[in-house]
Amino acid sequence: MKLSIIGMSGSGKSYWSKKLQEEKGFKRFCCDDIIEQKLSHELKKFGYSGLHDVGKWMGQPFDPQYVKRSKKYLYFENKATYEIFRAIKHQKNIVIDTTGSVIYMENSILQKLSKLTQIIYLDTPVTVQQEMYRLYLKDPKPVIWGKSFYKVNGESNIESLSRCYPKLLAFRSKRYENITNIRFDYTFSHSQNFSVDEFMEVIKK
């Protein structure tokens, strides 16, 4: 069984991919870790390390360095995914812990991801999006905004960010749905009583 888990940052991708690794013996590939490794030389220039520092390095969409660095991030995400494709060719039980920006990758890569793996979408309802935004401001992770961010006259940077964040999530939700094989409801997958065995049962159906 070959799985890819997609969804917003904080939707539970890493949690469930690690559960599959620890309890079911799946080989786990974490795209964030691979991208961070590929960026390590550049991150060291600024005294950065770790995923959260990748967010600092990239910055917010209104920062002057953002456009250039977000393109570099996507370049390495594409490259990392190609490497994973080669690595899983002869393996059986694998799970790919994707980034939230997976939908911005080249169409050929998304098509191959759909061909090689079952894509599991961990949905995030509107009711929890405000909390996601609060956590994002408190501890920013690398986010590809695409065309979802734009400023309106008279707005501060934070006001623009706050207005555009729901638009970003709505855009991503539609794109995730387009490549999804199995969708998990947020309250279902985040229930304390929901086990990895039940997770697997849903997938097998």
Side-chain angles (χ1 to χ4, degrees):
M1 183 179 290
K2 296 179 181 179
L3 308 173
S4 293
I5 303 182
I6 66 172
M8 313 290 185
S9 176
S11 62
K13 299 188 299 295
S14 294
Y15 174 83
W16 284 110
S17 63
K18 287 177 180 177
K19 278 283 191 181
L20 290 168
Q21 179 186 43
E22 294 164 2
E23 297 186 29
K24 296 298 178 181
F26 274 64
K27 173 70 175 177
R28 176 176 178 260
F29 293 87
C30 178
C31 291
D32 276 325
D33 290 347
I34 299 171
I35 296 168
E36 180 199 338
Q37 185 179 29
K38 291 183 178 300
L39 285 169
S40 61
H41 179 71
E42 183 157 348
L43 294 174
K44 285 178 182 177
K45 296 178 185 177
F46 303 92
Y48 291 159
S49 65
L51 175 61
H52 300 292
D53 279 357
V54 175
K56 292 179 185 177
W57 166 82
M58 185 185 294
Q60 298 286 11
F62 46 76
D63 290 328
Q65 79 276 14
Y66 178 81
V67 172
K68 182 178 179 180
R69 291 182 181 175
S70 62
K71 288 180 179 178
K72 180 174 285 190
Y73 178 92
L74 273 179
Y75 168 78
F76 283 126
E77 183 168 10
N78 281 292
K79 194 170 182 180
T81 308
Y82 273 123
E83 290 178 4
I84 292 172
F85 289 159
R86 288 194 294 270
I88 69 174
K89 190 174 182 181
H90 301 295
Q91 297 193 44
K92 291 185 177 180
N93 289 331
I94 67 97
V95 57
I96 302 174
D97 179 359
T98 69
T99 74
S101 58
V102 62
I103 47 139
Y104 297 98
M105 291 196 299
E106 299 167 4
N107 284 333
S108 59
I109 297 179
L110 292 177
Q111 289 169 4
K112 192 162 187 178
L113 191 70
S114 296
K115 184 178 180 180
L116 294 177
T117 69
Q118 275 188 287
I119 298 181
I120 314 301
Y121 172 36
L122 303 182
D123 190 14
T124 308
V126 175
T127 52
V128 302
Q129 289 180 6
Q130 193 59 40
E131 175 63 11
M132 290 173 64
Y133 178 62
R134 187 189 69 78
L135 293 173
Y136 170 68
L137 289 181
K138 182 179 179 181
D139 189 14
K141 294 182 179 179
V143 171
I144 301 298
W145 285 79
K147 296 180 180 179
S148 297
F149 179 83
Y150 59 93
K151 294 196 68 174
V152 173
N153 287 340
E155 280 186 337
S156 67
N157 288 333
I158 294 299
E159 286 171 340
S160 296
L161 208 66
S162 179
R163 176 178 53 78
C164 293
Y165 192 78
K167 300 179 187 296
L168 171 73
L169 299 189
F171 171 79
R172 286 189 171 194
S173 292
K174 290 180 181 178
R175 296 292 295 272
Y176 292 143
E177 291 280 6
N178 288 340
I179 62 171
T180 293
N181 296 122
I182 302 168
R183 175 183 170 276
F184 276 81
D185 179 80
Y186 183 88
T187 53
F188 191 47
S189 62
H190 281 68
S191 169
Q192 291 183 346
N193 298 320
F194 189 57
S195 69
V196 69
D197 287 325
E198 291 172 301
F199 187 91
M200 291 292 293
E201 281 301 314
V202 173
I203 294 170
K204 289 176 182 177
K205 289 178 183 178

